[in-house]
Amino acid sequence: MEALSERGDALRLLAAEAERARAGSGRLVLLRGATGTGRTALLRAAAEQAAARDMWVLRARCTPDSSGTDWGVVHQLFGEDADFLHEPPAEPGTGRTAHARTRAASLWRLLEAYASEAPLFVAVDDVHAADPLSRGWLTEAARRVDGLPVLLVVTERSQYDIDPPGAGLARGLSPALVRTHTLAPLSGAAATGLVRAAFPGAAPGRVADCVRAGAGNPLLLHALLDDLSSWDTAGGSAPQAPLPDTCAALYPGGYPDAVSWWLAGAGGSTARVARSLAVLESGDADAVPAPAPSADGTGPARDWCPGGCPAERLATQIRITATMARADPARVAGWLTAMTRLGLLHQGADGLHRYAHPLLRDAVLSGWAGGRRRAAHRTAAEELMRGGAEVAVVAGHLSHASAVAEPWAVDVLVEAAADEVRAGRPRCAVAFLRRALDEPMAPVRRASVLIQLGSLECAEYPSGGIARLTEAVRLPGGSRDLVRAMVALATALARSGETRAALRMLREEEHRLADRPELVRTLRAVAVLMSDEELGALRKEYRRRAGPDGDAPDLLGAAHRMLIVRYEATAGLISSRDAMAQIRALVEEPADPLAEPFLFGTAAVVAQWADALDEAERLVRRALDTLDSFLMHPMHHLLLDVRVDLAAARADFGAVLADPRARSSGSGPSGPGPTSAHTQAVIALVETGRLEEATRLVDGFDLRTAPDSWRTHRFLYARGTLRAAAGDPAGALDDFLECGRRQTAREALRSVVAPWRVAAAECRLALGRPREALALAEEELRLAEVWDTPRVRGRALRVLGEATGGRHGLELTGGAVGLLRDGPVGTELVSALIAHGRLLNDLGERSRARGTLREAVERAERLGAVRLRTVAEELLHVGGARRAGAPRTGPAALTGSERRIAGLAAEGRTNAEIAASLHLARRTVETHLTAAYRKLGISRRTELPTALPQAPPDTPARSA
């Protein structure tokens, strides 16, 4: 009796009417309901109930195929006794109407004869499909049956359709002659009970999904449960698997068949409206990942239909659906209301009607031919564009439509792709651009689309998209378009290991562009960034310019001169003050748009080296804005590297480890070998005391086969840092010296890429070789004084003080502490405090040492620098202080990232504002806040201002 859930009131009504008929007072009972609400099952149960009460049951079922057969229902009821209906008129020439009346009278006498033998229960299912003569006889019988022991029970489909239905059986009958009962959809509790009965072990969320997909319709719900039961191999386990959004995952497919049956019964116009609504809803959901469902789980929170208020959006939805289905908007509005009442649709707070579950929407679409669906998507795209919908929504429909062959289609798809790139969804952008290539367009425009698409595809896989970029290079167009394509193709080739081919192509193009010097400079800048061989040419150019017969600065492009400033910085030939003055002047000069990424990107690198971290961040944003979706550009990954380097410079270990590139290994979108994200991740893991994770990350790369690049040099430094922290100073020294050898070979005398001399000196001290350590420290200080930033000078003074020892060494480390208090120095100040405290201990000044080392512990704790904090605590213990336990709660337990984010939240900023200001993912902000709440022992945002103490005046601000 599962199909009769919540049908007890109907059965009781029928039982009472049966008793009334047995007493000699018959009546017509009309059971009405929408398709799938269980009318047939209820009629069958009522007939069985009547038979149990010694009533004679006559049954008939109407179908659309039998509606054209005269007296078809009556023949099912009376069988051979009704054969007289086929006899010709007794008197030739008798009219059809008179003959029908004669037959009806005979049928009435036949019914009376049956009733005289036993009370009758006459069951007619789906009377709306009966032939006209049978319907007429049933109506007439209902008027006369009140004096006989006959109960007429008929079921009739009652549902709002786009095409208005014909008159019902009860039309024209007195209410006293008929009892009408309408079957309501299943309640949520009843539907939940059916799912629980089928799968007792189902999780609550899975049960809710099944209830939504069943839409309160017994037919659909039972079909879905039957399909899911085919998954069940371990006693009720099927609902534990995620409920699919597509009917292709269902077997044997009873659910989509049931939906098709429901649509067929509703008629062609209603089916078109239902499918048009599904297309309208699916265009956005399929093309772009929607936000999380709303709180009640009934639909996406994305507002994909234009309009200023819910009423306007609903009106737009009705208008577009009606246009797509070629239906009356007034009937469409009524149908949406009726289906929402039945439970197949849900109306959200935004006013829009949506299907109760994506699986139901997919089932509605599954029976529609591909051509019709593509045409519907095109109509939806056109109507939504006219209505001012979001470009991603219009593009979502276009991605499922056939070619439009109008310029606006390409514009929409390209604009949507750019939005997806900015939102961090490059795969969605790729889908839009691939669809754009199906549209006819001019060669210049096609080349532009190919460049963007090839760039995105190569960003996903190192060798992907090269065919697209090659096609773009071969298309006719202007010189600037060709250079843009060349830059993308050369970058892709270099990242796939074909650097020589890329350089050869660039040189060949230079000869063809001899009359366009500004474009030649751009190609040369690309070559410099790709190859050490070309970097050597840049050094020669620097020397030539510096000589008495050198080129005047105005003969070199601003981006090229910016690269020379970068070379001077690495070679130890210029101070940070002079470098910053030059890059600020160059950034303000007018520049070719193709050169702007090199200009701003290189300036950001130099600014980061000069500890102008906020300025470097602004330059990174400017450079990325010039690239837009042009990801296959030599500056793109360099800019991402600068971002992670900025976080590392602030000792924001959480942001470093949150970089999605930080945990992958092997070849990636940036090419083979480790990236700066890997280098900084290893160092961050070491500093936070997670040596096992750092070891796994390092072991993911074979540096013997990695390209000899700046990134590999830095990774050698990171591996040395790990080895030193793991107690292997000899192995660490080898890595640091190799890093230095490779950098020196490229005339990077100043350890701007990685402070290898400082690290190597520390290893030599650990190995008992102070003279060698002293020589490295002195050389580092000489170069640091040229560059002249607090960070590099303080670091050099600190290691020189450690190598020197004694009172002079104490003066040097004290000078390092003083310098490092004045800038954004990350962990460098902690290291200097530790070195100073160690020397104070060695000189017997343990009281002063304890104060210095306690400050080191506190600062390391705020930064989350577990390794340095442990070293400082060990020195405190050596100096006679009690060993401190690791704080687990309170403000001191917060990491630097947690403290920074909690401070911004305490100022009243939202998570979205914090994420935007710090260039973090919103989830990262939420994670840090959750940890901060736990450590501070609070549960609400409003408690943060009192739970967080004021930062000391000398504490540098850090970005999380």
Side-chain angles (χ1 to χ4, degrees), residues 14 21 99 154 159 196 204 290 444 462 516 540 612 629 769 900:
L14 291 167
H99 184 55
V154 299
Q159 184 172 304
R196 289 283 185 206
V444 174
R516 300 292 301 274
K540 293 177 183 177
S629 59
R769 296 149 63 181
R900 176 63 170 162

Side-chain angles (χ1 to χ4, degrees), residues 186-231:
L186 292 177
S187 67
T192 299
L194 290 174
V195 178
R196 289 283 185 206
F199 302 105
R206 199 57 58 235
V207 171
D209 277 346
C210 291
V211 170
R212 287 171 51 211
N217 188 292
L219 172 70
L220 301 187
L221 182 57
H222 281 288
L224 175 63
L225 296 179
D226 288 344
D227 281 346
L228 294 179
S229 67
S230 67
W231 297 359

Side-chain angles (χ1 to χ4, degrees), residues 198-199 206 209-210 213 223-256 357 359:
F199 302 105
R206 199 57 58 235
D209 277 346
C210 291
L224 175 63
L225 296 179
D226 288 344
D227 281 346
L228 294 179
S229 67
S230 67
W231 297 359
D232 186 6
T233 58
S237 63
Q240 301 301 333
L243 191 65
D245 288 348
T246 173
C247 293
L250 296 179
Y251 180 81
Y255 180 77
H357 192 275
L359 185 63

Side-chain angles (χ1 to χ4, degrees), residues 703 713 715-721 723 730-740 756:
L703 297 188
H713 304 171
F715 198 73
L716 276 168
Y717 173 81
R719 189 174 71 177
T721 302
R723 287 177 170 176
L733 180 61
D734 290 341
D735 280 339
F736 294 139
L737 292 178
E738 178 62 16
C739 173
W756 64 271

Side-chain angles (χ1 to χ4, degrees), residues 596-609:
E596 284 183 343
F598 302 100
L599 186 67
F600 300 140
T602 308
V605 172
V606 176
Q608 183 248 319
W609 290 342

Side-chain angles (χ1 to χ4, degrees), residues 440-454:
M441 63 187 92
V444 174
R445 186 67 189 278
R446 185 173 183 83
S448 176
V449 173
L450 284 168
I451 292 169
Q452 294 178 65
L453 177 56

Side-chain angles (χ1 to χ4, degrees), residues 558-581:
H560 222 61
R561 282 182 278 154
M562 188 75 78
L563 289 170
I564 291 175
V565 173
R566 192 187 75 165
Y567 163 69
E568 292 174 328
T570 59
L573 301 172
I574 190 173
S575 71
S576 60
R577 186 178 299 102
D578 290 341
M580 289 302 298

